[in-house]
Amino acid sequence: MFEPFIWMFKLPNFKIHFLKLFVVSVILAIQAIILIFPLMALFSTANSFFTFAIYTIIAIFVFCAPILFIQGYYWELTSQIIDRSSDIISTNIYAKKVREINKITLPEWDVRKYIWRGFASIIATSIMLIPWLAVICLNISQISLYNMNPAIRVPLICFAFLFYLLVPGLLWNYAKRDSILAPLNIPKAIYLFGTYTGKYILNIVIMFFVYVLDIIITYILDAVFRFSQIITGITDTKALLFSLLIIIPYLILMLVKWLYLVHIHAYLIGTITPVGRE
């Protein structure tokens, strides 16, 4: 039950690896802040739709680089967990009880690859939503869900629940295949759910628990640091400088929390299937 929360601390050199993740994320964020004004000036020189589109893509990669970097790392880590191996541990050769441990290798460092895969994952997850949203929109149209005929409302609710149920399998397939069309492989997600039902459902329950816990921790941090009040209360440079003394520690804790959750969610998606199984 607690394995998803502690597995990463059992890996050699994890602390150094985590520190690298943190430092690179901060550097990319600072780089984005520094390049805001040069990029705004660059947009003012756009004289055609093509150049505007190119500048927009550049801006997305620069401004969203920290997010894309972490997202890309998440998918690479999930892929490594899916392809993990295992060892059998026992006290002696006559022991009746043996324990299987996962052997997980952290992904190799490639910042540009992480950023690119993070960008591709946004496209992939957007594509994943298209068929589901299309069906829902075609049925709902302009009718309110509460005023809808139960003969339509109930199947739609079941359809939405089915989508939620299959999302982990679709994400597993994307992490495994690294193709933007992989999240459309609904039969594969159904196969994973039908074959590894117990583990699949358990991981979904833990994901929900982690999600609720994340909301609670975020709320507590916001209350302790009064982040929301500080942001809305900044009126001048002096107030901004004073607020940074509180904002920076808050953002550091939020980033550490995010990076930790990345490892938890990667483990929950990657371990849907047993070692060596697909």
Side-chain angles (χ1 to χ4, degrees):
M1 179 66 180
F2 296 102
E3 186 64 20
F5 301 92
I6 61 174
W7 71 272
M8 66 290 291
F9 299 111
K10 300 177 182 179
L11 301 180
N13 300 322
F14 171 72
K15 292 181 180 179
I16 296 176
H17 189 85
F18 190 89
L19 182 60
K20 285 182 179 179
L21 278 174
F22 179 86
V23 171
V24 173
S25 300
V26 171
I27 291 174
L28 290 174
I30 294 174
Q31 172 185 276
I33 295 172
I34 293 174
L35 293 177
I36 285 178
F37 294 107
L39 281 173
M40 293 299 292
L42 186 65
F43 268 98
S44 64
T45 63
N47 53 13
S48 68
F49 175 79
F50 177 76
T51 54
F52 182 82
I54 294 296
Y55 294 162
T56 301
I57 293 173
I58 294 173
I60 290 174
F61 273 97
V62 171
F63 293 146
C64 301
I67 299 174
L68 297 178
F69 167 74
I70 296 173
Q71 284 296 104
Y73 170 79
Y74 163 77
W75 291 113
E76 287 294 313
L77 177 61
T78 306
S79 179
Q80 290 291 104
I81 295 174
I82 293 173
D83 295 332
R84 69 195 182 282
S85 58
S86 64
D87 270 347
I88 301 297
I89 294 179
S90 63
T91 54
N92 57 69
I93 59 175
Y94 302 106
K96 294 182 179 180
K97 291 185 178 181
V98 296
R99 186 163 60 96
E100 182 181 15
I101 61 169
N102 291 318
K103 294 179 63 178
I104 299 172
T105 304
L106 293 171
E108 295 182 1
W109 272 96
D110 192 335
V111 176
R112 286 181 295 181
K113 182 180 180 180
Y114 292 169
I115 292 175
W116 175 252
R117 185 156 191 187
F119 178 74
S121 70
I122 294 175
I123 298 175
T125 49
S126 299
I127 291 174
M128 177 182 70
L129 295 173
I130 291 174
W132 304 90
L133 292 177
V135 172
I136 292 176
C137 291
L138 286 174
N139 283 276
I140 292 180
S141 187
Q142 297 180 349
I143 304 175
S144 170
L145 187 62
Y146 295 101
N147 297 327
M148 190 181 298
N149 189 313
I152 299 177
R153 182 172 67 241
V154 173
L156 277 178
I157 293 175
C158 293
F159 183 80
F161 177 74
L162 175 64
F163 170 68
Y164 173 76
L165 204 60
L166 294 181
V167 162
L170 296 173
L171 297 181
W172 181 98
N173 197 46
Y174 172 69
K176 176 68 177 178
R177 308 301 172 196
D178 192 14
S179 167
I180 60 173
L181 298 180
L184 293 177
N185 194 344
I186 297 175
K188 182 64 177 182
I190 295 174
Y191 168 79
L192 293 174
F193 177 77
T195 306
Y196 312 109
T197 308
K199 183 62 174 175
Y200 196 106
I201 294 177
L202 175 62
N203 283 15
I204 288 180
V205 172
I206 297 175
M207 285 179 197
F208 181 76
F209 170 76
V210 171
Y211 175 74
V212 173
L213 190 61
D214 180 32
I215 292 176
I216 294 173
I217 293 175
T218 301
Y219 176 80
I220 292 173
L221 288 175
D222 184 75
V224 170
F225 287 92
R226 298 185 300 171
F227 179 74
S228 301
Q229 299 177 26
I230 291 172
I231 289 297
T232 55
I234 295 176
T235 55
D236 53 35
T237 304
K238 185 178 180 180
L240 174 61
L241 294 175
F242 176 77
S243 300
L244 286 176
L245 297 176
I246 299 176
I247 293 174
I248 291 177
Y250 172 82
L251 293 178
I252 289 174
L253 289 175
M254 290 296 289
L255 178 57
V256 170
K257 176 174 71 69
W258 184 14
L259 294 176
Y260 175 60
L261 290 176
V262 160
H263 290 81
I264 294 176
H265 285 291
Y267 187 87
L268 292 172
I269 293 294
T271 56
I272 285 176
T273 55
V275 175
R277 302 282 186 87
E278 293 187 22

